[in-house]
């Protein structure tokens, strides 16, 4: 079974801090994704990556950056955390090309609170 | 702007009831439609990926149908059990997944 592991289930940070959310997958998947989920809204794509050192903006990239130095690891960075970034963050991965029919495999999520 | 809508927003049923909910998506440039189940405190789990008009998929007591011409998919649960309680998400696949807001199902014993 595919395992997608996010480094923290719960995280509390202060406004202005630089925050790192880490995600590791163990199935050699090419594609990795970061989403946020807010009440009343569907999962929204922040950034994705289809290869090492490659990244593409999703629908809501403002205030975030990402890093993919190794195939198995995809990091989401909040450059200067703000209260409107309080949310549930989900990492996902899948294999093959982006237009493939492979389902995405998700981590358990990180509930991030910015005070 | 591509919009994926799910209805109803929430559903409460008794154990043993059958239930169904809807996912509506753009009918143009269709590539695939995904269904996921998301239980509280767990990660979303893939149920189905559907690509062909008229497709029907089944997993245990859960099944799904797809109509790409009119842009909708139905998810059916036959004989709901408390362990079926979850949020059911659909997602329209273009170059990325566009998710609906989900249908939250609660099954009471």
């Amino acid at each position: 079974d595919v395992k997608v592991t996010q480094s923290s289930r719960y995280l509390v940070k202060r406004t202005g801090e630089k925050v790192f959310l880490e995600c590791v997958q163990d199935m050699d998947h090419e594609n990795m994704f970061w989403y946020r989920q807010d009440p009343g809204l569907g999962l929204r794509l922040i950034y994705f990556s289809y290869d090492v050192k490659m990244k593409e903006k999703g629908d809501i990239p403002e205030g975030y950056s990402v890093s993919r130095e190794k195939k198995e690891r995809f990091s989401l960075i909040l450059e200067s955390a703000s209260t409107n970034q309080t949310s549930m963050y989900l990492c996902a991965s899948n294999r093959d090309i982006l237009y493939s029919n492979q389902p995405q495999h998700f981590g358990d999520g990180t509930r991030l609170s910015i005070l | 702007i591509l919009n994926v809508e799910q209805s109803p927003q929430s559903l409460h049923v008794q154990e043993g009831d059958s239930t169904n909910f809807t996912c509506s998506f753009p009918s143009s440039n269709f590539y695939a439609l995904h269904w996921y189940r998301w239980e509280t405190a767990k990660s979303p789990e893939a149920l189905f990926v559907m690509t062909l008009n008229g497709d029907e998929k089944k997993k245990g007591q859960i099944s799904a149908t797809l109509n790409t011409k009119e842009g909708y998919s139905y998810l059916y649960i036959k004989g709901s059990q408390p362990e079926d309680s979850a949020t059911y998400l659909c997602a329209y696949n273009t170059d990325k997944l566009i998710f609906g807001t989900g249908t939250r199902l609660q099954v009471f014993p």
Side-chain angles (χ1 to χ4, degrees):
Chain A
D1 273 356
V2 176
K3 185 73 175 171
V4 178
T5 303
Q6 294 184 228
S7 51
S8 307
R9 290 298 297 270
Y10 301 94
L11 207 52
V12 180
K13 295 291 183 180
R14 296 210 171 271
T15 304
E17 280 192 70
K18 190 168 186 176
V19 181
F20 294 85
L21 301 184
E22 307 286 349
C23 175
V24 176
Q25 48 93 5
D26 66 358
M27 283 300 290
D28 203 37
H29 283 172
E30 289 79 8
N31 306 320
M32 296 188 76
F33 307 84
W34 274 108
Y35 295 92
R36 64 178 280 177
Q37 199 266 336
D38 299 291
L41 299 175
L43 289 174
R44 292 182 293 165
L45 182 64
I46 304 170
Y47 266 97
F48 63 100
S49 168
Y50 52 88
D51 203 352
V52 176
K53 297 193 186 293
M54 305 304 290
K55 60 185 179 184
E56 294 286 341
K57 292 180 180 180
D59 298 318
I60 51 166
E62 297 78 19
Y64 303 94
S65 62
V66 290
S67 171
R68 194 159 179 208
E69 295 296 317
K70 293 184 178 181
K71 192 174 185 180
E72 67 270 19
R73 186 180 295 271
F74 192 36
S75 303
L76 180 70
I77 304 155
L78 285 66
E79 296 291 343
S80 177
S82 64
T83 54
N84 63 11
Q85 292 177 309
T86 291
S87 188
M88 167 73 91
Y89 290 86
L90 283 158
C91 175
S93 71
N94 70 356
R95 60 181 303 169
D96 295 330
I97 61 173
L98 285 175
Y99 279 92
S100 77
N101 295 332
Q102 297 299 315
Q104 292 188 8
H105 299 268
F106 286 86
D108 288 340
T110 296
R111 190 167 290 282
L112 175 65
S113 296
I114 308 295
L115 305 179
Chain B
I1 296 176
L2 297 174
N3 206 29
V4 177
E5 296 185 355
Q6 291 188 248
S7 62
Q9 199 168 27
S10 66
L11 203 50
H12 301 107
V13 301
Q14 290 293 131
E15 182 176 357
D17 287 350
S18 294
T19 186
N20 66 85
F21 17 95
T22 306
C23 173
S24 302
F25 53 86
S27 55
S28 58
N29 299 319
F30 176 83
Y31 190 74
L33 194 282
H34 295 223
W35 280 102
Y36 293 85
R37 174 171 60 200
W38 193 0
E39 295 178 66
T40 303
K42 295 186 178 179
S43 55
E45 170 198 2
L47 288 172
F48 309 113
V49 179
M50 309 178 79
T51 57
L52 299 174
N53 185 45
D55 209 2
E56 182 169 344
K57 296 209 171 185
K58 192 171 180 181
K59 186 176 183 177
Q61 297 299 100
I62 303 176
S63 60
T65 60
L66 179 68
N67 183 323
T68 60
K69 295 187 188 307
E70 296 182 41
Y72 64 84
S73 176
Y74 292 139
L75 190 81
Y76 300 91
I77 303 178
K78 184 179 175 184
S80 305
Q81 299 298 308
E83 54 266 31
D84 293 322
S85 298
T87 296
Y88 290 83
L89 299 171
C90 70
Y92 173 73
N93 193 172
T94 60
D95 58 341
K96 53 183 185 271
L97 289 186
I98 299 169
F99 283 85
T101 54
T103 293
R104 184 170 179 167
L105 173 67
Q106 284 190 276
V107 183
F108 295 103

